[in-house]
Amino acid sequence: LICCDLFWKIKMFSGPLEIKTCLCGRDCLHAGDTCSSDDTCSPRLRTLRQCVAGDGSMKLGPGARSQCENAMTALLSTPLHGCQCKRGMKREKNCLSIYWSLHQSVLHGLSLVESYPYEPEERGSDYVRLASIAAATESEVTTVNRCLDAAKACNIDETCQKLRTEYVSACIQPSARSGPCNRPKCNKALRKFFDRVPPDYTHELLFCPCTDTACAERRRQTIVPSCSYEEKDKPNCLVQLRDCKQDYVCRSRWAQFQYDCEASEHSASGCKRENHGSCLLAYTGLIGSTITPNYLDNSTSNVGPWCSCAASGNHREQCNDFLAFFHDNICL
């Protein structure tokens, strides 16, 4: 952090000295606070936020594009450039709002998607063991119920048992008379569970192998789909994705999923980043969002969000591309 602060001050006060950026693992909240307290950086950040806030740039007048470009260029030489957030952190949405101020898909014709919002997860899991479980023969699965073992293991761990109980309580519909469950509360509890419980427990619960429909249905019900995302009629996928991109957290989880689960036919693993662990973490990060994925039925291992491309009109190809990230993703 001292390195970043020193480099930034040299850049701000030395004029033409070329210091492009300083990546010291700084989170965006700290970078935003540092910028806000600086007389040179603060007005540029305010200008940039106006540029990306819908039609907010209209308030900047005829020279809006030039002002936006100048603010962007200046902020790329501050600790704001390269900052990231931690998934599930306190004030996560505040942190991500700062990140996205600088990383918009399109900003007055400027393309600046060169990074991803979350710090790499340091927590690990035994993915070799998970892979062997998924590849178990039918006789092995029938003698050892991995899904049941995963539930028992979670109940033994204090954090897993506590947070699982919380989301089940939040997601179970009280009764037909009292109406539907509280979906926002349910999804918030689900995000908390998958963000705070180690993947050794969450991934065992969600990715355990099944050979019969009863087991598969129990696995599908792990995230209580009837409350977390299912509806009588499937909504259009592009509507879901649009709503997701309007929320900083959902937008960030989707960006991370696209990055970590990008497929590659030229990769031995099927993943461009060669990291199945990061892909699975990014996948579970979507649970509890507008585009929550789950098993599509109890007879296969196919996954995807609860939506359809049936009414996509001229945007059918775009909608199919979205679903392909789940249905036809060799990395996932």
Side-chain angles (χ1 to χ4, degrees):
L1 296 184
I2 293 174
C3 155
C4 277
D5 289 337
L6 177 61
F7 274 23
W8 188 19
K9 288 173 182 176
I10 292 174
K11 172 63 180 173
M12 285 296 182
F13 294 105
S14 61
L17 183 64
E18 286 296 321
I19 297 177
K20 296 291 185 183
T21 186
C22 182
L23 303 179
C24 296
R26 179 193 295 273
D27 75 75
C28 293
L29 281 176
H30 185 92
D33 290 342
T34 305
C35 179
S36 296
S37 62
D38 183 272
D39 293 339
T40 305
C41 184
S42 183
R44 289 168 175 169
L45 181 58
R46 285 198 302 271
T47 298
L48 185 63
R49 281 180 161 166
Q50 274 190 290
C51 295
V52 300
D55 60 352
S57 60
M58 298 298 291
K59 298 176 182 178
L60 297 175
R65 178 178 174 81
S66 176
Q67 290 185 57
C68 292
E69 287 180 347
N70 291 339
M72 172 77 78
T73 302
L75 291 173
L76 289 179
S77 298
T78 74
L80 284 169
H81 182 217
C83 74
Q84 292 176 308
C85 304
K86 187 172 180 61
R87 192 174 114 181
M89 67 185 290
K90 289 183 178 179
R91 297 177 63 202
E92 179 181 359
K93 186 169 288 190
N94 297 51
C95 184
L96 292 170
S97 72
I98 296 170
Y99 173 89
W100 285 113
S101 291
L102 211 62
H103 295 78
Q104 298 290 338
S105 296
V106 178
L107 176 61
H108 292 280
L110 299 176
S111 178
L112 190 68
V113 176
E114 57 177 28
S115 184
Y116 43 92
Y118 292 113
E119 298 173 4
E121 293 279 357
E122 295 181 359
R123 54 184 182 171
S125 185
D126 190 350
Y127 293 106
V128 174
R129 183 169 60 88
L130 280 175
S132 67
I133 290 173
T137 65
E138 185 173 339
S139 60
E140 288 174 327
V141 176
T142 53
T143 55
V144 179
N145 189 326
R146 297 289 186 181
C147 294
L148 189 58
D149 286 349
K152 290 178 179 177
C154 179
N155 288 334
I156 293 173
D157 181 82
E158 183 179 353
T159 301
C160 187
Q161 192 272 339
K162 177 178 179 292
L163 295 183
R164 187 175 178 223
T165 300
E166 280 186 17
Y167 87 71
V168 169
S169 299
C171 296
I172 293 296
Q173 183 174 330
S175 68
R177 182 177 298 178
S178 60
C181 72
N182 187 329
R183 179 166 294 178
K185 183 179 179 181
C186 169
N187 282 334
K188 183 178 179 180
L190 277 168
R191 288 196 302 272
K192 184 178 178 182
F193 176 77
F194 284 100
D195 286 348
R196 298 188 184 180
V197 177
D200 276 339
Y201 297 105
T202 59
H203 290 185
E204 290 271 14
L205 282 168
L206 204 58
F207 306 126
C208 57
C210 289
T211 57
D212 61 83
T213 55
C215 173
E217 179 60 16
R218 174 173 179 165
R219 181 179 60 187
R220 196 180 77 86
Q221 292 290 341
T222 296
I223 64 168
V224 199
S226 58
C227 178
S228 62
Y229 73 108
E230 276 187 4
E231 299 177 23
K232 183 179 180 181
D233 299 313
K234 287 188 176 181
N236 183 269
C237 296
L238 293 180
V239 173
Q240 278 196 347
L241 185 59
R242 181 200 64 200
D243 292 343
C244 176
K245 289 182 176 180
Q246 290 176 350
D247 177 82
Y248 285 128
V249 175
C250 187
R251 178 182 185 175
S252 301
R253 304 295 175 97
W254 169 239
Q256 196 74 41
F257 175 72
Q258 288 178 289
Y259 181 86
D260 286 329
C261 294
E262 185 177 359
S264 171
E265 295 180 354
H266 306 293
S267 166
S269 67
C271 298
K272 185 174 182 178
R273 317 293 169 201
E274 296 283 7
N275 194 331
H276 280 121
S278 293
C279 178
L280 292 181
L281 279 170
Y283 174 87
T284 57
L286 289 173
I287 296 174
S289 74
T290 306
I291 53 174
T292 294
N294 194 16
Y295 295 97
L296 300 177
D297 50 52
N298 56 21
S299 59
T300 69
S301 294
N302 297 330
V303 297
W306 184 260
C307 65
S308 167
C309 289
S312 299
N314 295 333
H315 301 288
R316 184 64 177 261
E317 185 177 351
Q318 182 185 353
C319 187
N320 288 335
D321 288 343
F322 167 70
L323 281 182
F325 261 97
F326 301 94
H327 296 178
D328 305 311
N329 190 332
I330 58 175
C331 175
L332 180 62

